[in-house]
Amino acid sequence: QVQLVESGGGLVQAGGSLRLSCLASRSISSINRMGWYRQAPDKQRELVAHITSGGFTLYARSVKGRFTISRDNAKNTVYLQMNSLKPEDTAVYYCNAYDINYNYWGQGTQVTVSS
């Protein structure tokens, strides 16, 4: 089992930056895919970005070029650097750990971008 704890959310003005962190309760080096998802009010949860154990990354079209996902296996942590934030980025951001036998979620962290 893997417990995930997100941090780093908050209120920021449009154009600003935030860095989210996701601390896992055990080593993430062998986890196939670590990702960030978000859910805005009255909308479905959507993929923001993920990174594989081999370091390959995938981004949603809406965040490509603005957000960067990275993982530090030594610290059991995944990061999401968010730059040039827009009001439409406002959502609860969730960390995800996915492998063939499991799919774990964190409790989420709120990101609010004011215009």
Side-chain angles (χ1 to χ4, degrees):
Q1 193 168 3
V2 181
Q3 293 177 327
L4 304 170
V5 179
E6 301 98 335
S7 61
L11 174 63
V12 64
Q13 287 188 331
S17 299
L18 284 173
R19 188 176 81 155
L20 305 183
S21 300
C22 171
L23 177 62
S25 59
R26 66 162 179 84
S27 174
I28 64 170
S29 60
S30 62
I31 296 178
N32 182 268
R33 203 166 71 206
M34 298 293 300
W36 287 95
Y37 289 71
R38 67 187 182 188
Q39 188 167 15
D42 300 322
K43 291 189 176 181
Q44 288 191 331
R45 192 173 297 189
E46 62 176 2
L47 172 70
V48 176
H50 75 228
I51 183 167
T52 70
S53 55
F56 292 102
T57 57
L58 177 72
Y59 294 92
R61 188 173 299 179
S62 59
V63 307
K64 201 168 185 179
R66 300 188 296 123
F67 291 10
T68 303
I69 189 170
S70 60
R71 60 195 289 168
D72 186 336
N73 291 337
K75 295 183 178 180
N76 299 340
T77 301
V78 178
Y79 302 99
L80 185 69
Q81 178 66 44
M82 306 186 295
N83 298 328
S84 302
L85 282 161
K86 303 175 181 180
E88 51 263 44
D89 295 318
T90 295
V92 178
Y93 284 70
Y94 296 91
C95 182
N96 174 259
Y98 172 83
D99 211 315
I100 190 168
N101 294 316
Y102 55 80
N103 189 21
Y104 294 114
W105 296 91
Q107 83 288 349
T109 185
Q110 176 71 45
V111 171
T112 303
V113 184
S114 64
S115 57

